[in-house]
Amino acid sequence: MFIGASPGGTGGGIKTTTAAVLAATAWAGALGYEQVVLFRRSVPNEQLAKAMALTLLAAHMVGGTTLLLCLTEQALLHSEAPYAFLSLLFEATSAFGTVGLSTGITPTLSEWGKLILVVTMFFGRVGLLTVIVAFAGRPLRTVRYAREELLVG
């Protein structure tokens, strides 16, 4: 459910092309290739960075939604909480992907829990990048810094 529709579709979640770019990036990095190639076409580094950023933001959105649901539904405070963590994670992932699947606990959530799911559905459907650009705007100027090679392993 986290990987949603294709770019022309109306589903939420991260797009299938974003997942494909991430998989190709992991494959190229593991084999030590200098560039990422999909269908005999090189993928620009800007697209790679955008795909990684959007996926991390989406994962944080689902994680944050799950944490907020755990707090509002008191799943972390009581050992005999009415909702299990996995059920709340399922609800958060389903809301972000605008899938419509549920474990059946959505009607019994608190008002705050329902509101959190509504906001998550909105962000998942509209897209995190669209929401960020709408609120923050585009940068006025671009600054280029010196390059530095890091040891990543």
Side-chain angles (χ1 to χ4, degrees):
M1 291 186 297
F2 184 73
I3 300 172
S6 293
T10 58
I14 66 168
K15 301 300 181 196
T16 54
T17 52
T18 303
V21 166
L22 287 177
T25 302
W27 183 257
L31 296 179
Y33 295 146
E34 290 185 15
Q35 57 180 300
V36 177
V37 176
L38 281 172
F39 302 105
R40 297 184 185 182
R41 299 283 190 259
S42 173
V43 180
N45 288 337
E46 295 81 21
Q47 294 294 86
L48 301 177
K50 186 177 178 182
M52 285 186 215
L54 285 174
T55 303
L56 283 174
L57 285 171
H60 280 90
M61 180 76 190
V62 170
T65 299
T66 305
L67 178 63
L68 288 174
L69 286 175
C70 284
L71 293 174
T72 59
E73 306 311 314
Q74 300 180 357
L76 299 176
L77 301 176
H78 305 293
S79 61
E80 61 275 350
Y83 307 114
F85 172 78
L86 287 178
S87 295
L88 295 175
L89 176 63
F90 187 91
E91 296 293 323
T93 307
S94 176
F96 181 74
T98 61
V99 176
L101 292 177
S102 176
T103 57
I105 64 171
T106 306
T108 62
L109 293 176
S110 67
E111 298 303 316
W112 282 106
K114 291 176 186 174
L115 182 64
I116 290 167
L117 287 180
V118 167
V119 170
T120 304
M121 284 184 236
F122 177 77
F123 282 3
R125 172 58 194 99
V126 173
L128 291 172
L129 187 62
T130 304
V131 173
I132 290 170
V133 169
F135 287 117
R138 296 224 179 244
L140 298 176
R141 60 187 170 114
T142 303
V143 178
R144 296 194 183 257
Y145 294 100
R147 251 180 97 160
E148 180 67 32
E149 297 293 329
L150 300 175
L151 295 175
V152 178

